[in-house]
Amino acid sequence: MKTMKNFILLLALTLGFAACEKDEDKIYLSSLEAGELVATESNVVLLQENSKDIVLSLAWTKDVLQISDPGLSAIDVTIQTLQVSTTEDFSGVVNESSENSLSKAYTGAALNALAKSIGATPDVANNVYFRLAARTGNNMIPVYSNIVKVSVTPYTIDMSMGYILNTDKEETGVVLYSDASDGDYKGFMGLTPWYNFYLKEGNGAVWGNDGVTGTAFVLSSEDDDEKRWNCWSPGIGGCYYVDVNVNTKLWSALYIPSLTLAGDLSGEMTFDRPNTKWTYAFNAVQAGNITLQISGTGKLYDSSTGTDDDAAKNTPVAFVQSGESLIFGAQAGNVTVNVPAVGECTLTIDLSNPKQWTVEVSSGSAEPEPEPEPARETLYMLGISEGEGGWNFNHHLRLYNEDNLGYAGVADVNAPWGYQIGIEDGDWDAVYTLDGGDADAGTLAFEVGDGAVNIPAPDGGLYFFDVSLKALTYNSKALGSDIYIAGLNKLKDEDWTFEPLPAASAIGVFSGSITITQPSAWGFKIYLFDGNWDYVYGGSAGKLYYKGADGITDDATLAPGTYTLTVDLINATYTIE
């Protein structure tokens, strides 16, 4: 009653007593009048495929206090709560949400999560009841709207598995496992250098690298390619223990270069990357149980190290045995396995199933599948700067996109006879030549001998080249007298602007003064053309990387002041001094 008395006093002050023509006139407030609730659907079948679509909408009229004088209106102090339950009398589990508007829309994912929270059974039709509760204060008895019944068939959400997607967001067949279904997904992966991927949860959420910060090993689930990039692994291929935690929005990759056996067997195991297995071939002198220890030293990459190999943290790795499974950790324990027969045998540690890692010995030799040939780090532009003289392997294109076998680089062009693209240092036959096109762009052919035609070179000068051995294409673009810096001294909420860095006397080198006033929030980057965000170099430790996600952060370690920044595009290096 105290709440109601305060409300009437507030109403009286608001009206200023102007509504009373006579002292004996009285204005009466009556209780809330219930609103009407309606739903757009009476039957909803949920699927993963419609998880992002609006599948159900609710709307209602306002619950209002009644006032005896039709010429007046009461102040709106109602508190609205939408209640949802699988029991018609709302005696079971009830989901409540405060509502300030007159409608609510559910996506498939939201409605599925709501159904799960109130105990609805997956994959069958459940009666789900909705009603609106309105009150004028937290200690007041609510007034309820009509009850709306909707048949909802939710789908099963398995939050224990994290599915690895490729850059096209297609499932790869590789999964990570969250034992507690709590958003922390772990497991082993056989990765190629600079492997790109996303992770999808059972509820359909897709996680990639945070594109706003651009910081490696930081996660984002934004449904925007500008704000969510693919994750990328370090530049070393092999065995990784991957931990993706969507709660902390961080992930890490623990590279394991080798595993060493001790005990009844001693030696170095071999990693079978495509199958995510470690193997060791040996000659058994007797059948029966053997006991061994398995250990090594890994290198941990996370948000504090980025993909810098020198910064990666040395981390002990080992296995212990638990029944028929292996447990991964830092301290090795005894592992007992049965040798089935005398003679040639193979010890196999199978890490492909994140729910259970196993070890066994089998008779015979189990040779790992041959590795597909990894992408080369470097291509060679034969003849690009040699004029009419001899050709050599001194001019490089560097790998920047493994999926597309994309290579890029800058060269000082002086090639009246055109040029070729070599793939092996010193091998004049392993080259790409012209299939069709001109000096600016065209297609490549892997051809030598009398039928080969050199790729036409642009006019002399400094040019940027971009080559894809997967698409068999090449492109070139002339550089100007300046390149550009962006991001220096910029805070998180500041827009980047292009600042010119002029050409130096040495060909391919650009140098000028920069003033550091504060560490840049995301690092700074080098852009080849004014206003063009596509042709960009990131970098670290004095090296430049075309389309590198990491900005140059050397300014964070330098005192405020004026420095000379020198960029060598031909050799892909930089200095600040």
Side-chain angles (χ1 to χ4, degrees):
M1 290 301 296
K2 182 179 180 182
T3 300
M4 182 59 74
K5 289 177 181 177
N6 290 338
F7 175 79
I8 295 173
L9 177 60
L10 177 63
L11 176 64
L13 292 173
T14 302
L15 298 176
F17 303 102
C20 298
E21 295 181 359
K22 299 179 182 179
D23 289 341
E24 63 270 18
D25 287 347
K26 292 181 173 57
I27 299 171
Y28 297 95
L29 285 171
S30 58
S31 60
L32 282 169
E33 182 177 292
E36 182 181 1
L37 177 66
V38 295
T40 57
E41 304 289 340
S42 60
N43 183 30
V44 180
V45 177
L46 299 173
L47 302 168
Q48 279 277 10
E49 290 74 16
N50 65 9
S51 61
K52 295 182 180 181
D53 299 333
I54 300 296
V55 295
L56 176 67
S57 294
L58 302 174
W60 53 88
T61 57
K62 189 72 172 179
D63 299 304
V64 293
L65 285 164
Q66 302 301 301
I67 190 166
S68 59
D69 189 335
L72 301 176
S73 60
I75 298 173
D76 182 12
V77 293
T78 57
I79 301 170
Q80 296 183 113
T81 303
L82 183 63
Q83 297 181 338
V84 190
S85 179
T86 55
T87 55
E88 189 171 7
D89 61 357
F90 291 80
S91 60
V93 178
V94 178
N95 178 280
E96 294 187 327
S97 60
S98 297
E99 304 296 338
N100 296 316
S101 65
L102 297 178
S103 64
K104 188 179 185 73
Y106 293 95
T107 64
L111 185 58
N112 201 71
L114 172 63
K116 181 181 179 182
S117 72
I118 58 177
T121 304
D123 304 316
V124 298
N126 298 257
N127 287 333
V128 176
Y129 300 93
F130 298 82
R131 72 180 181 185
L132 201 70
R135 54 171 65 90
T136 56
N138 290 328
N139 61 341
M140 302 297 291
I141 298 174
V143 173
Y144 296 106
S145 71
N146 58 301
I147 296 174
V148 171
K149 180 178 72 174
V150 179
S151 175
V152 178
T153 304
Y155 55 84
T156 301
I157 301 177
D158 181 4
M159 296 300 290
S160 69
M161 305 301 287
Y163 303 89
I164 300 299
L165 312 180
N166 61 21
T167 53
D168 294 324
K169 300 184 180 68
E170 301 167 335
E171 292 190 17
T172 62
V174 178
V175 293
L176 302 179
Y177 180 55
S178 176
D179 185 31
S181 297
D182 60 357
D184 190 4
Y185 302 92
K186 303 175 181 179
F188 289 91
M189 296 174 63
L191 301 179
T192 56
W194 306 115
Y195 182 74
N196 297 159
F197 68 95
Y198 297 89
L199 179 135
K200 183 177 76 172
E201 294 188 273
N203 61 4
V206 175
W207 294 85
N209 198 84
D210 181 15
V212 176
T213 66
T215 304
F217 298 100
V218 177
L219 296 169
S220 171
S221 61
E222 291 279 354
D223 192 13
D224 183 334
D225 289 341
E226 294 295 324
K227 296 180 180 179
R228 181 190 62 193
W229 302 341
N230 58 255
C231 297
W232 62 94
S233 67
I236 304 174
C239 179
Y240 283 84
Y241 179 72
V242 178
D243 184 348
V244 179
N245 192 326
V246 304
N247 303 302
T248 62
K249 296 185 178 180
L250 297 172
W251 73 284
S252 62
L254 176 57
Y255 171 57
I256 304 174
S258 63
L259 287 177
T260 301
L261 298 175
D264 291 337
L265 293 177
S266 60
E268 297 290 321
M269 302 191 75
T270 300
F271 186 58
D272 177 4
R273 189 193 61 77
N275 296 305
T276 324
K277 297 178 180 180
W278 288 88
T279 62
Y280 179 76
F282 66 99
N283 191 48
V285 296
Q286 63 181 28
N289 288 343
I290 59 173
T291 300
L292 46 90
Q293 298 83 44
I294 308 164
S295 62
T297 300
K299 296 177 73 69
L300 179 66
Y301 298 83
D302 58 21
S303 59
S304 68
T305 68
T307 55
D308 185 352
D309 298 334
D310 294 331
K313 308 165 189 175
N314 289 334
T315 305
V317 297
F319 289 93
V320 297
Q321 195 169 32
S322 176
E324 297 181 354
S325 302
L326 292 177
I327 298 175
F328 180 65
Q331 186 67 42
N334 286 338
V335 175
T336 301
V337 289
N338 181 261
V339 177
V342 173
E344 190 176 46
C345 291
T346 299
L347 173 74
T348 300
I349 299 174
D350 189 345
L351 305 175
S352 61
N353 179 2
K355 293 183 177 181
Q356 184 179 36
W357 303 315
T358 61
V359 58
E360 67 173 355
V361 174
S362 56
S363 296
S365 176
E367 293 293 334
E369 293 182 9
E371 281 270 7
E373 187 175 350
R376 294 171 171 83
E377 293 297 322
T378 304
L379 299 182
Y380 305 91
M381 303 187 72
L382 308 178
I384 195 64
S385 296
E386 300 312 311
E388 299 182 16
W391 290 18
N392 57 44
F393 290 80
N394 296 335
H395 306 281
H396 303 146
L397 297 171
R398 297 170 178 86
L399 179 68
Y400 73 88
N401 184 329
E402 185 171 359
D403 288 343
N404 196 43
L405 294 180
Y407 295 81
V410 172
D412 177 29
V413 176
N414 180 13
W417 303 107
Y419 64 100
Q420 298 176 354
I421 295 174
I423 61 175
E424 291 287 350
D425 191 357
D427 189 341
W428 297 97
D429 292 327
V431 296
Y432 285 85
T433 56
L434 181 68
D435 181 57
D438 55 25
D440 296 328
T443 56
L444 300 169
F446 191 73
E447 187 174 3
V448 296
D450 294 338
V453 177
N454 290 343
I455 305 165
D459 295 335
L462 199 64
Y463 281 79
F464 171 80
F465 292 85
D466 190 349
V467 169
S468 168
L469 293 190
K470 184 174 183 180
L472 292 176
T473 58
Y474 67 90
N475 294 274
S476 67
K477 189 174 178 67
L479 273 68
S481 57
D482 295 323
I483 58 175
Y484 299 87
I485 310 165
L488 188 66
N489 300 317
K490 297 297 185 182
L491 300 178
K492 291 182 179 180
D493 56 350
E494 292 184 305
D495 293 333
W496 287 21
T497 55
F498 282 64
E499 302 296 334
L501 189 68
S505 57
I507 296 175
V509 176
F510 296 78
S511 185
S513 295
I514 59 171
T515 299
I516 297 175
T517 60
Q518 60 189 357
S520 48
W522 316 126
F524 65 93
K525 294 188 177 183
I526 306 298
Y527 294 85
L528 299 187
F529 306 102
D530 190 10
N532 191 323
W533 300 98
D534 294 332
Y535 296 85
V536 56
Y537 281 85
S540 64
K543 296 180 180 179
L544 294 174
Y545 302 97
Y546 181 60
K547 292 191 181 296
D550 295 335
I552 299 169
T553 57
D554 298 50
D555 56 324
T557 63
L558 298 172
T562 300
Y563 296 84
T564 299
L565 170 64
T566 301
V567 172
D568 184 342
L569 291 178
I570 292 177
N571 293 302
T573 61
Y574 71 92
T575 60
I576 303 176
E577 55 189 18

